[in-house]
């Protein structure tokens, strides 16, 4: 029996591009999970909210600069400023959370900081939703020029291009900082052995703070990209992307920086293309939400069969 | 006070009622190679852990080069000039040789992209103190400058990094690892890993180097070359050396003076010849033959 695809090559090419786009957002967020896990063996469940705060800070800048009326060269400036503000706000949030909710529990049983993390996560999302927005969403101004171009069967919008380009640039910068600078060397040393790093003259607390900061910068930029792409933002928006990014980090092997990036793209593609593949089965017509089912099924399967990640190396290379 | 002078005064370390060290005093003049020996469980490694700040001694004082250093966290003591190696090698095994050495020189690389490490205890005292909101903007600003510096890489940062790498290469050459800069640590042969660990310790710029069984697991030839290396290091880097060792041939060959611990107390001190004749030492080791034959002294 031959499988008959009811859809065209263009359709699959579109799905591929969509998958890469969401995947790059997952990858950016996943980096924060994996790096913090690398140095602290802590799942920072408030990271989704760090991402959310970034989205709001970016929104604030765009609105302050004129919202829908921003045009021309001002668009580039507005985007840069929005990302800087988002990174700063996310960083401030992450550092405050680290100081208030995690550091006092550094030597407590491992469950304690985890519960603390979940608490912070719920607190932040409700603070924004119920404290400031009273249940309404905000909408990113649609400043990005419409249109795009084709590469073979793939139609890529300018916005998608920008998303992928910006996230790749951020990830390249992060990789460079981790691999090639003193700052990154300190983080890697702490990830391999906190005690040993400390004996080498590294201030471990400082290294941990910097790790949170770098992860938050990535999340802040991801927040702006998310807002530009999906438009609606709200206090609870961090939850699903947060858990997805966590899934991506686990897929790639938590603690591994390369793994988080690969896992992010892999998850983005799988959930987008995966749902459509299921839809190819005659009689099946799954709505969009099923991509979450695909993603989390993947998480469960990986946790059962490959808990160290599907791209398991002999020894996961830490942050 | 000369640099590198170690003065341990009545050091005590208790773990929930168990005395690991009791009233141990130790004076090591600058540039001496000093041996720390004793049966298993005598407190030698505990002593190292107290000196490096990994443990906080429960009583007594530690002075280095005329500065009191006990009670400070390891990274501050490292900045004050104490560095160590481990009995079971503890390299950053996923990093290359040169990266390991560069981690060692962390506190000495200037420029803006470093985690700030106080060079001296005084400085630590100045910046120490409980968390207060007043410090938040300042430390936040410092952190931002750090991250920004790491990303922007102004010329000074790049120059500092280049200098540190050059220094690191020279260090690797000094311990006999020239040309292995980019080898990943865990892939190096055992003897080379020991040498790399010493190079990394030297990279912190120590005035006192603590070596925990530097010849453990080595054959006689390897031990002999390690002994030569220890002497060479002392002369080249002008450090004081305190070493824990079980191989009596090594201890007697390289140490100028020896301190013997037993059950956490100092039972003897002196030149190798004096210690070897000390009845208390012979008694502690039970197997008196071991000392005389220059064999392995662990009972």
């Amino acid at each position: 029996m031959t499988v008959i695809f009811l859809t065209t090559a263009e359709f699959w090419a579109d799905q591929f591009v969509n998958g890469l786009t969401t995947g790059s957002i997952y990858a950016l967020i996943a980096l924060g999970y994996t790096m913090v896990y690398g140095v602290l063996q802590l799942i920072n469940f408030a990271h989704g909210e760090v991402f959310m705060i970034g989205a709001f800070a970016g929104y604030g800048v765009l609105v302050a600069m004129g919202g829908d009326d921003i045009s021309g060269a001002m668009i580039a400036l507005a985007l840069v400023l929005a990302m800087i503000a988002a990174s700063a706000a996310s960083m401030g949030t992450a550092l405050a959370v680290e100081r208030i909710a995690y550091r006092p529990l550094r030597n407590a049983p491992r469950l304690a900081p985890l519960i603390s993390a979940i608490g912070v996560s719920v607190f932040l999302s409700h603070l924004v939703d119920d404290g400031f927005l009273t249940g309404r969403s905000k909408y990113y101004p649609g400043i990005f020029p419409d249109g795009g171009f084709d590469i073979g069967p793939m139609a890529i919008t300018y916005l998608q291009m920008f998303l992928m380009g910006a996230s790749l640039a951020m990830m390249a910068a992060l990789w460079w900082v981790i691999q090639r600078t003193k700052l990154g060397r300190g983080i890697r040393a702490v990830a391999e052995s906190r005690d040993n790093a400390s004996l080498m003259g590294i201030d471990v607390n400082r290294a941990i703070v910097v790790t949170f900061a770098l992860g938050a910068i990535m999340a802040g930029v991801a927040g702006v990209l998310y807002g530009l792409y999906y438009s609606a933002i709200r206090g609870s928006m961090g939850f699903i992307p947060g858990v997805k990014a966590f899934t991506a980090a686990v897929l790639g092997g938590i603690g591994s920086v390369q793994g988080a990036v690969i896992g992010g793209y892999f998850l983005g593609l799988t959930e987008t293309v995966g749902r459509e593949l299921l839809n190819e089965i005659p009689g099946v017509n799954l709505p969009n939400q099923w991509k979450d089912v695909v993603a989390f099924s993947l998480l469960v399967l990986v946790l059962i069969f490959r808990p160290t990640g599907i791209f398991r190396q002999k020894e996961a290379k830490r942050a | 006070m000369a640099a590198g002078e170690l003065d341990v005064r009545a050091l005590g370390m208790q773990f929930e009622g168990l005395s690991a060290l009791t009233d141990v005093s130790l004076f090591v003049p600058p540039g001496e190679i000093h041996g720390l020996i004793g049966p298993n469980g005598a407190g030698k490694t505990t002593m190292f852990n107290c000196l490096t700040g990994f443990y906080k001694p429960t009583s007594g004082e530690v002075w280095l080069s005329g500065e009191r250093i006990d009670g400070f966290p390891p990274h501050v003591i490292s900045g004050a000039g104490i560095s160590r190696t481990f009995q079971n090698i503890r390299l950053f095994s996923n990093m290359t040789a040169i990266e390991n050495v560069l981690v060692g020189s962390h506190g000495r690389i200037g420029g803006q992209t470093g985690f700030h490490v106080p060079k001296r205890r005084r400085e630590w005292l100045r910046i120490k103190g409980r968390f207060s909101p007043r410090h938040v903007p300042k430390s936040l600003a410092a952190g931002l400058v750090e991250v920004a510096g790491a990303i922007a890489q102004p010329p000074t940062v790049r120059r500092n990094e280049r200098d540190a790498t050059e220094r690191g290469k020279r260090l690797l050459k000094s311990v006999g690892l020239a040309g292995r800069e980019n080898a990943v640590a865990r892939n190096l042969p055992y003897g080379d890993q020991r040498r790399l660990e010493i190079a990394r310790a030297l990279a912190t710029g120590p005035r006192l180097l603590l070596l925990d069984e530097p010849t453990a697991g080595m054959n006689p030839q390897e031990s002999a070359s390690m002994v030569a290396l220890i002497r060479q290091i002392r002369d080249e880097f002008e450090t004081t050396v305190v070493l824990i060792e079980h191989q009596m041939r090594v201890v007697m060959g390289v140490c100028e003076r020896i301190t013997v611990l037993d059950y956490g107390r100092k039972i003897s001190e002196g030149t190798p010849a004096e210690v070897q004749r000390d009845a208390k030492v012979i008694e502690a080791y039970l197997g008196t033959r071991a000392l005389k034959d220059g064999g392995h002294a662990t009972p």
Side-chain angles (χ1 to χ4, degrees):
Chain A
M1 182 192 137
T2 48
V3 178
I4 304 158
F5 284 99
L6 302 172
T7 39
T8 61
E10 281 76 17
F11 173 79
W12 290 105
D14 280 349
Q15 296 307 322
F16 181 73
V17 173
N18 290 342
L20 281 184
T21 312
T22 34
S24 49
I25 292 178
Y26 294 158
L28 274 183
I29 308 174
L31 285 165
Y33 281 102
T34 216
M35 292 204 313
V36 166
Y37 186 87
V39 295
L40 276 182
Q41 284 76 53
L42 163 82
I43 306 293
N44 175 14
F45 272 117
H47 193 59
E49 278 59 45
V50 168
F51 154 81
M52 176 270 291
I53 298 283
F56 274 94
Y59 168 81
V61 168
L62 292 182
V63 168
M65 289 184 69
D68 288 324
D69 300 332
I70 306 174
S71 62
M74 283 300 281
I75 295 177
L77 178 68
L79 288 174
V80 169
L81 288 181
M83 287 196 271
I84 290 173
S87 298
S90 290
M91 200 158 103
T93 311
L95 297 193
V97 169
E98 193 273 333
R99 193 67 188 72
I100 295 165
Y102 300 151
R103 201 183 295 184
L105 299 172
R106 187 81 54 78
N107 297 315
R110 289 184 64 174
L111 208 50
L114 188 70
I115 294 168
S116 176
I118 293 170
V120 169
S121 162
V122 173
F123 170 79
L124 287 174
S125 70
H126 282 271
L127 181 73
V128 172
D129 261 348
D130 305 333
F132 298 117
L133 297 179
T134 56
R136 290 190 302 275
S137 293
K138 295 282 177 193
Y139 295 92
Y140 257 60
I143 58 169
F144 223 87
D146 291 331
F149 50 89
D150 297 337
I151 305 177
M154 289 188 287
I156 303 179
T157 65
Y158 292 129
L159 179 57
Q160 285 175 324
M161 203 66 218
F162 174 72
L163 241 76
M164 288 189 249
S167 26
L168 279 178
M170 290 305 291
M171 290 188 276
L174 179 71
W175 183 87
W176 191 81
V177 166
I178 290 177
Q179 292 298 327
R180 290 280 181 269
T181 70
K182 188 186 163 194
L183 199 75
R185 217 162 37 230
I187 291 171
R188 284 187 290 144
V190 171
E192 277 205 39
S193 164
R194 222 188 285 175
D195 291 341
N196 217 346
S198 156
L199 286 169
M200 291 304 125
I202 293 173
D203 184 338
V204 172
N205 271 333
R206 182 65 76 87
I208 290 170
V209 165
V210 169
T211 307
F212 271 89
L214 289 176
I217 291 175
M218 299 292 134
V221 170
V224 173
L225 297 179
Y226 182 97
L228 290 170
Y229 196 55
Y230 294 104
S231 187
I233 58 169
R234 53 189 302 143
S236 56
M237 66 178 270
F239 181 72
I240 290 289
V243 181
K244 291 274 183 67
F246 168 68
T247 305
V250 172
L251 284 177
I254 190 128
S256 156
V257 167
Q258 307 94 301
V261 173
I262 297 170
Y265 285 112
F266 183 82
L267 184 69
L269 285 173
T270 313
E271 68 169 25
T272 315
V273 179
R275 178 182 70 94
E276 294 302 341
L277 275 177
L278 291 174
N279 272 345
E280 289 298 322
I281 303 168
V284 177
N285 186 16
L286 304 172
N288 195 35
Q289 285 79 354
W290 270 74
K291 67 183 201 297
D292 296 352
V293 176
V294 173
F296 295 128
S297 306
L298 200 60
L299 174 64
V300 171
L301 290 175
V302 168
L303 285 176
I304 293 172
F305 295 108
R306 285 248 173 172
T308 51
I310 37 178
F311 317 105
R312 173 168 48 187
Q313 297 144 309
K314 201 168 160 207
E315 188 180 4
K317 204 176 165 199
R318 291 272 178 80
Chain B
M1 287 307 158
E5 176 190 277
L6 174 69
D7 188 2
V8 179
R9 299 176 190 169
L11 198 72
M13 184 70 218
Q14 291 205 325
F15 297 104
E16 288 161 26
L18 180 88
S19 283
L21 289 174
T22 313
D23 206 19
V24 177
S25 293
L26 178 64
F27 184 84
V28 185
E32 182 173 283
I33 298 181
H34 194 97
L36 195 58
I37 67 171
N40 282 335
K44 306 181 295 288
T45 299
T46 306
M47 180 88 172
F48 272 20
N49 281 330
C50 287
L51 295 183
T52 53
F54 192 69
Y55 293 158
K56 264 188 186 155
T58 41
S59 59
E61 297 172 3
V62 180
W63 293 70
L64 179 74
S65 316
E67 269 193 291
R68 189 170 167 189
I69 58 161
D70 57 275
F72 293 98
H75 68 271
V76 175
I77 291 184
S78 164
I82 296 188
S83 193
R84 72 169 289 183
T85 65
F86 296 89
Q87 182 184 347
N88 50 339
I89 304 167
R90 292 189 202 167
L91 290 165
F92 298 109
S93 54
N94 291 326
M95 294 191 194
T96 62
I98 189 76
E99 282 180 328
N100 267 278
V101 174
L102 285 171
V103 169
S105 58
H106 211 92
R108 299 171 73 206
I109 304 180
Q112 298 184 314
T113 66
F115 311 143
H116 177 75
V117 176
K119 287 283 175 299
R120 311 291 286 240
R121 179 176 164 265
R122 271 194 304 279
E123 200 182 339
W124 171 253
L125 280 175
R126 192 163 53 71
I127 62 169
K128 198 172 96 135
R130 294 201 167 278
F131 174 76
S132 101
R134 252 180 339 114
H135 296 144
V136 169
K138 206 174 148 196
S139 64
L140 207 63
L144 277 172
V145 168
E146 254 179 40
V147 174
I151 293 167
Q153 295 282 309
T156 46
V157 169
R158 258 177 297 167
R159 195 175 47 243
N160 285 328
E161 183 79 10
R162 212 167 41 234
D163 291 350
T165 309
E166 280 310 310
R167 241 188 357 251
K169 282 185 182 160
R170 282 201 300 275
L171 267 175
L172 286 174
K173 199 170 160 218
S174 292
V175 300
L177 288 176
R180 309 305 306 271
E181 287 87 2
N182 294 318
V184 175
R186 65 163 178 271
N187 297 335
L188 286 172
Y190 181 78
D192 286 355
Q193 292 196 10
R194 284 234 171 264
R195 286 166 182 272
L196 175 56
E197 210 189 16
I198 291 176
R200 184 182 66 176
L202 287 170
T204 66
R207 281 171 283 180
L208 169 64
L209 185 61
L210 307 175
L211 303 173
D212 195 345
E213 295 203 39
T215 67
M218 286 186 169
N219 64 33
Q221 286 85 15
E222 289 168 330
S223 295
S225 82
M226 180 55 77
V227 164
L229 178 64
I230 293 169
R231 284 212 189 88
Q232 174 211 325
I233 282 167
R234 187 262 310 264
D235 298 339
E236 192 178 337
F237 296 93
E238 297 173 346
T239 58
T240 310
V241 178
V242 174
L243 61 95
I244 294 174
E245 190 49 74
H246 276 306
Q247 291 195 41
M248 283 305 137
R249 202 179 282 115
V250 173
V251 179
M252 299 304 163
V254 72
C255 297
E256 284 141 5
R257 278 156 42 83
I258 293 173
T259 296
V260 189
L261 295 180
D262 192 23
Y263 292 112
R265 288 171 191 277
K266 185 166 85 173
I267 58 168
S268 179
E269 191 174 44
T271 63
E274 287 165 4
V275 166
Q276 243 169 333
R277 282 195 304 270
D278 192 324
K280 275 196 229 152
V281 177
I282 294 167
E283 195 186 330
Y285 272 95
L286 293 171
T288 49
R289 221 164 34 84
L291 280 174
K292 283 185 188 140
D293 293 354
H296 203 269
T298 319

